[in-house]
Amino acid sequence: MTPESSLGLLLKCGHSRRPARPLPPAAPPTLSGSGFQQQRLQAQQGQEPAPSPKLGPAAGTLLREAESAILAHLPALRPPAPPPGPPPGQLPPRGLHLMLDPPAEPIRSWQPRLLGRIPVPAGAAGGPRGLHCSLDGLLFLTAGAAPCVHVLDLEGRSICHLPCHVPGAGTFVPEDVAVTAAGLVAVSDLVHGAVHVLQHTARAPQGRWVTVGTFLAPRGLAVDALGRLLVTDYVPGAVHSFTLGPALQPLAPASVLGLQGPCWVGPGPDGGLAVSEEFGDVRLFGSAHQPLGTLGGLTGHTFGSPAGVCTDAEGGVIVVDEQRRQVTLFPRAGAPICLVSEGLRRPLGVACAPQGQLVVADAGDGYIKVYQYHLEPA
């Protein structure tokens, strides 16, 4: 309320403002109209304090009316009225009840502890790319323009390297790598449009590469829970799956079509698969290749450029985002969880080790980063 309206209200109640007169210099300062000050001065001078004046009924009524009028004109003293609710039968506007909306970003954060960084082996001529961790804890790595597969342990010690050479076709550079439950090493060959498997025989104890399938642009490679090889075919927008017979012949081939730039693939929950689309989303398919939706559509998460995909022991899907430089876990139930958001420059491959480690191939600085993967809030 403005000072003018307060003054007008006081005048209406019978009060008038008089100019203040200066107090005599010898008299102690007092508050105008204060009976307490008068009683205190009389007590100091040894006089009997005068009784306080009593207000008549008319004056008391006038003061009460003035007090009620002042309070009625002060909105700040009244509690604000609650906002109007929606009409009966109508839901409240979206966004007011945040717990009902899917989160747009991970709302929880686990920070696995960085155990170490493994440099790319000498001669790779580029950063790490394809990554697979076998059941016995060995890392199979493709990197740069090196025509071989590097095999390391989780402490970075080199076990061996597998030269990539096909008789009659020459040397090739592997794009991605996977290892089957039977121990067969498979690689994708983008330049020659093929998938090769390393076969060990009595005539070739060191192994020889056998072509088991030809495609337009094979890139990502994985093995699902049913033992099928999964291959992303970038140009036609497809994922092919097949098993290998005793003579390494492809059996039961099947394809998932209609994808937009599929780059990486990994096993999904319940025997299915997860496919990352370049600058898009991560699509989920069941064990019979039936579509189950996308991680972004199911959770509200926004990807920059999803890359490597893997699945943890609890069935959660872990996705590396090359553009946003982070690793995110999508558990079977609940909101997405940001696992790693710092220290990555260009993450591409990701794998879960059987001992509980999380392994990320970072092509930006040329290191393989090993984290202790704890399923507990940091």
Side-chain angles (χ1 to χ4, degrees), residues 103 107-108 298-299 329-337:
I107 60 174
R108 291 182 291 168
L298 295 173
T299 66
L329 166 66
F330 296 86
R332 296 177 66 94
I337 301 167

PDB file of all heavy atoms in Angstrom, residues 103 107-108 298-299 329-337:
ATOM      1  N   PRO A 103      12.505 -38.755 -17.545  1.00  0.00           N
ATOM      2  CA  PRO A 103      13.581 -37.755 -17.441  1.00  0.00           C
ATOM      3  C   PRO A 103      14.281 -37.567 -18.770  1.00  0.00           C
ATOM      4  O   PRO A 103      14.511 -38.509 -19.510  1.00  0.00           O
ATOM      5  CB  PRO A 103      14.522 -38.375 -16.392  1.00  0.00           C
ATOM      6  CG  PRO A 103      14.257 -39.843 -16.463  1.00  0.00           C
ATOM      7  CD  PRO A 103      12.796 -39.992 -16.830  1.00  0.00           C
ATOM      8  N   ILE A 107      19.314 -38.845 -14.177  1.00  0.00           N
ATOM      9  CA  ILE A 107      19.110 -38.129 -12.927  1.00  0.00           C
ATOM     10  C   ILE A 107      19.979 -38.701 -11.821  1.00  0.00           C
ATOM     11  O   ILE A 107      20.021 -38.150 -10.739  1.00  0.00           O
ATOM     12  CB  ILE A 107      17.635 -38.184 -12.524  1.00  0.00           C
ATOM     13  CG1 ILE A 107      17.180 -39.633 -12.326  1.00  0.00           C
ATOM     14  CG2 ILE A 107      16.759 -37.500 -13.539  1.00  0.00           C
ATOM     15  CD1 ILE A 107      15.776 -39.772 -11.795  1.00  0.00           C
ATOM     16  N   ARG A 108      20.646 -39.791 -12.092  1.00  0.00           N
ATOM     17  CA  ARG A 108      21.574 -40.346 -11.114  1.00  0.00           C
ATOM     18  C   ARG A 108      22.946 -40.478 -11.756  1.00  0.00           C
ATOM     19  O   ARG A 108      23.068 -40.507 -12.967  1.00  0.00           O
ATOM     20  CB  ARG A 108      21.087 -41.709 -10.625  1.00  0.00           C
ATOM     21  CG  ARG A 108      19.845 -41.643  -9.771  1.00  0.00           C
ATOM     22  CD  ARG A 108      19.465 -43.020  -9.293  1.00  0.00           C
ATOM     23  NE  ARG A 108      19.000 -43.846 -10.388  1.00  0.00           N
ATOM     24  CZ  ARG A 108      18.826 -45.163 -10.299  1.00  0.00           C
ATOM     25  NH1 ARG A 108      19.113 -45.796  -9.193  1.00  0.00           N
ATOM     26  NH2 ARG A 108      18.394 -45.854 -11.335  1.00  0.00           N
ATOM     27  N   LEU A 298      12.132 -44.585 -25.075  1.00  0.00           N
ATOM     28  CA  LEU A 298      11.644 -45.222 -23.860  1.00  0.00           C
ATOM     29  C   LEU A 298      12.014 -44.457 -22.600  1.00  0.00           C
ATOM     30  O   LEU A 298      11.315 -44.550 -21.587  1.00  0.00           O
ATOM     31  CB  LEU A 298      12.186 -46.657 -23.768  1.00  0.00           C
ATOM     32  CG  LEU A 298      11.706 -47.630 -24.851  1.00  0.00           C
ATOM     33  CD1 LEU A 298      12.453 -48.947 -24.749  1.00  0.00           C
ATOM     34  CD2 LEU A 298      10.203 -47.863 -24.722  1.00  0.00           C
ATOM     35  N   THR A 299      13.113 -43.717 -22.641  1.00  0.00           N
ATOM     36  CA  THR A 299      13.589 -43.051 -21.425  1.00  0.00           C
ATOM     37  C   THR A 299      13.620 -41.533 -21.525  1.00  0.00           C
ATOM     38  O   THR A 299      13.799 -40.867 -20.513  1.00  0.00           O
ATOM     39  CB  THR A 299      15.007 -43.531 -21.073  1.00  0.00           C
ATOM     40  OG1 THR A 299      15.935 -43.105 -22.092  1.00  0.00           O
ATOM     41  CG2 THR A 299      15.062 -45.050 -20.966  1.00  0.00           C
ATOM     42  N   LEU A 329      24.478 -45.802 -18.670  1.00  0.00           N
ATOM     43  CA  LEU A 329      23.850 -47.092 -18.402  1.00  0.00           C
ATOM     44  C   LEU A 329      22.331 -46.930 -18.459  1.00  0.00           C
ATOM     45  O   LEU A 329      21.769 -46.014 -17.852  1.00  0.00           O
ATOM     46  CB  LEU A 329      24.269 -47.612 -17.025  1.00  0.00           C
ATOM     47  CG  LEU A 329      23.439 -48.773 -16.454  1.00  0.00           C
ATOM     48  CD1 LEU A 329      23.630 -50.032 -17.291  1.00  0.00           C
ATOM     49  CD2 LEU A 329      23.810 -49.024 -14.997  1.00  0.00           C
ATOM     50  N   PHE A 330      21.683 -47.839 -19.168  1.00  0.00           N
ATOM     51  CA  PHE A 330      20.226 -47.897 -19.221  1.00  0.00           C
ATOM     52  C   PHE A 330      19.800 -49.186 -18.531  1.00  0.00           C
ATOM     53  O   PHE A 330      19.780 -50.256 -19.153  1.00  0.00           O
ATOM     54  CB  PHE A 330      19.742 -47.860 -20.672  1.00  0.00           C
ATOM     55  CG  PHE A 330      20.075 -46.578 -21.376  1.00  0.00           C
ATOM     56  CD1 PHE A 330      21.321 -46.416 -21.993  1.00  0.00           C
ATOM     57  CD2 PHE A 330      19.182 -45.532 -21.423  1.00  0.00           C
ATOM     58  CE1 PHE A 330      21.645 -45.235 -22.634  1.00  0.00           C
ATOM     59  CE2 PHE A 330      19.485 -44.348 -22.069  1.00  0.00           C
ATOM     60  CZ  PHE A 330      20.723 -44.197 -22.668  1.00  0.00           C
ATOM     61  N   PRO A 331      19.492 -49.114 -17.243  1.00  0.00           N
ATOM     62  CA  PRO A 331      19.134 -50.341 -16.519  1.00  0.00           C
ATOM     63  C   PRO A 331      17.793 -50.895 -16.985  1.00  0.00           C
ATOM     64  O   PRO A 331      17.019 -50.229 -17.678  1.00  0.00           O
ATOM     65  CB  PRO A 331      19.071 -49.868 -15.057  1.00  0.00           C
ATOM     66  CG  PRO A 331      18.788 -48.408 -15.138  1.00  0.00           C
ATOM     67  CD  PRO A 331      19.435 -47.918 -16.392  1.00  0.00           C
ATOM     68  N   ARG A 332      17.508 -52.102 -16.597  1.00  0.00           N
ATOM     69  CA  ARG A 332      16.257 -52.742 -16.998  1.00  0.00           C
ATOM     70  C   ARG A 332      15.051 -52.008 -16.437  1.00  0.00           C
ATOM     71  O   ARG A 332      13.973 -52.017 -17.026  1.00  0.00           O
ATOM     72  CB  ARG A 332      16.252 -54.206 -16.543  1.00  0.00           C
ATOM     73  CG  ARG A 332      17.330 -55.063 -17.202  1.00  0.00           C
ATOM     74  CD  ARG A 332      17.310 -56.471 -16.645  1.00  0.00           C
ATOM     75  NE  ARG A 332      16.095 -57.168 -16.999  1.00  0.00           N
ATOM     76  CZ  ARG A 332      15.959 -57.955 -18.065  1.00  0.00           C
ATOM     77  NH1 ARG A 332      16.996 -58.124 -18.895  1.00  0.00           N
ATOM     78  NH2 ARG A 332      14.836 -58.575 -18.324  1.00  0.00           N
ATOM     79  N   ALA A 333      15.226 -51.368 -15.292  1.00  0.00           N
ATOM     80  CA  ALA A 333      14.160 -50.568 -14.696  1.00  0.00           C
ATOM     81  C   ALA A 333      14.774 -49.314 -14.100  1.00  0.00           C
ATOM     82  O   ALA A 333      15.833 -49.363 -13.478  1.00  0.00           O
ATOM     83  CB  ALA A 333      13.421 -51.367 -13.612  1.00  0.00           C
ATOM     84  N   GLY A 334      14.127 -48.193 -14.311  1.00  0.00           N
ATOM     85  CA  GLY A 334      14.624 -46.944 -13.760  1.00  0.00           C
ATOM     86  C   GLY A 334      15.169 -46.015 -14.820  1.00  0.00           C
ATOM     87  O   GLY A 334      15.160 -46.315 -16.022  1.00  0.00           O
ATOM     88  N   ALA A 335      15.657 -44.883 -14.351  1.00  0.00           N
ATOM     89  CA  ALA A 335      16.141 -43.833 -15.239  1.00  0.00           C
ATOM     90  C   ALA A 335      17.562 -44.129 -15.712  1.00  0.00           C
ATOM     91  O   ALA A 335      18.297 -44.903 -15.082  1.00  0.00           O
ATOM     92  CB  ALA A 335      16.115 -42.488 -14.515  1.00  0.00           C
ATOM     93  N   PRO A 336      17.985 -43.534 -16.837  1.00  0.00           N
ATOM     94  CA  PRO A 336      19.382 -43.689 -17.277  1.00  0.00           C
ATOM     95  C   PRO A 336      20.344 -43.155 -16.232  1.00  0.00           C
ATOM     96  O   PRO A 336      20.030 -42.230 -15.483  1.00  0.00           O
ATOM     97  CB  PRO A 336      19.436 -42.855 -18.566  1.00  0.00           C
ATOM     98  CG  PRO A 336      18.019 -42.731 -19.014  1.00  0.00           C
ATOM     99  CD  PRO A 336      17.190 -42.732 -17.779  1.00  0.00           C
ATOM    100  N   ILE A 337      21.537 -43.732 -16.215  1.00  0.00           N
ATOM    101  CA  ILE A 337      22.550 -43.377 -15.224  1.00  0.00           C
ATOM    102  C   ILE A 337      23.845 -43.049 -15.955  1.00  0.00           C
ATOM    103  O   ILE A 337      24.346 -43.863 -16.729  1.00  0.00           O
ATOM    104  CB  ILE A 337      22.794 -44.523 -14.224  1.00  0.00           C
ATOM    105  CG1 ILE A 337      21.487 -44.864 -13.503  1.00  0.00           C
ATOM    106  CG2 ILE A 337      23.873 -44.153 -13.229  1.00  0.00           C
ATOM    107  CD1 ILE A 337      21.558 -46.163 -12.738  1.00  0.00           C
TER     108      ILE A 337
END
